[in-house]
Amino acid sequence: MDKKKKEYLKEKIIKDIEQLIHDIEDLKEKTKPIPPENSLGRLTRLEAMGEKSVNEAMLKNSEIRLKKLLFVKDRVNENNFGYCNICDEQINYERLKILPESTICIECANEIE
């Protein structure tokens, strides 16, 4: 992979990290416990609890992705960046543009699933 592509990916990783940090802060606010003294109707309370569950799942996934991006950010300039950890083939650049934290190629990912 050439230097220009690596620079693009590094910038994307940094932007994604910044966005995820912001998103995580928002999600932490949305996942705070719903106090029972709030005068919500029964259905509204159930909807709020359902929304809280969705936000908790999004928070967990965002935190996992943030850890992966922080890990890969330091590896962008290494020679083995962009190569599959399983088959050692180069990961498609288009895949890395979408998921720069990818450490395996699409073929190996499909075999795992």
Side-chain angles (χ1 to χ4, degrees):
M1 179 180 321
D2 64 36
K3 190 174 181 175
K4 186 177 179 181
K5 288 180 179 179
K6 282 189 176 186
E7 277 303 312
Y8 172 82
L9 290 174
K10 188 169 187 171
E11 288 174 20
K12 176 160 179 26
I13 290 168
I14 292 169
K15 286 178 187 175
D16 287 356
I17 288 171
E18 291 170 358
Q19 183 63 49
L20 276 171
I21 290 170
H22 180 270
D23 292 348
I24 288 170
E25 289 173 12
D26 288 345
L27 288 168
K28 284 182 178 178
E29 281 297 313
K30 292 179 180 179
T31 57
K32 287 185 177 179
I34 303 164
E37 64 271 4
N38 279 5
S39 58
L40 300 172
R42 183 172 168 258
L43 286 177
T44 307
R45 184 164 183 76
L46 288 173
E47 289 171 354
M49 290 168 56
E51 187 176 319
K52 182 178 180 278
S53 294
V54 169
N55 287 329
E56 286 172 342
M58 287 173 52
L59 175 62
K60 182 179 177 182
N61 290 337
S62 295
E63 289 173 335
I64 291 169
R65 182 161 189 245
L66 177 62
K67 287 178 185 178
K68 289 178 179 180
L69 285 169
L70 288 169
F71 172 75
V72 82
K73 181 183 87 165
D74 298 330
R75 294 187 53 225
V76 173
N77 294 324
E78 293 179 8
N79 290 335
N80 63 348
F81 174 76
Y83 286 88
C84 179
N85 286 346
I86 297 172
C87 69
D88 290 327
E89 294 294 321
Q90 194 165 24
I91 299 172
N92 186 303
Y93 179 67
E94 296 303 314
R95 176 175 170 78
L96 289 172
K97 282 173 48 177
I98 297 168
L99 294 170
E101 68 272 21
S102 298
T103 56
I104 59 174
C105 67
I106 195 73
E107 291 83 12
C108 290
N110 286 336
E111 286 180 21
I112 291 171
E113 292 177 3

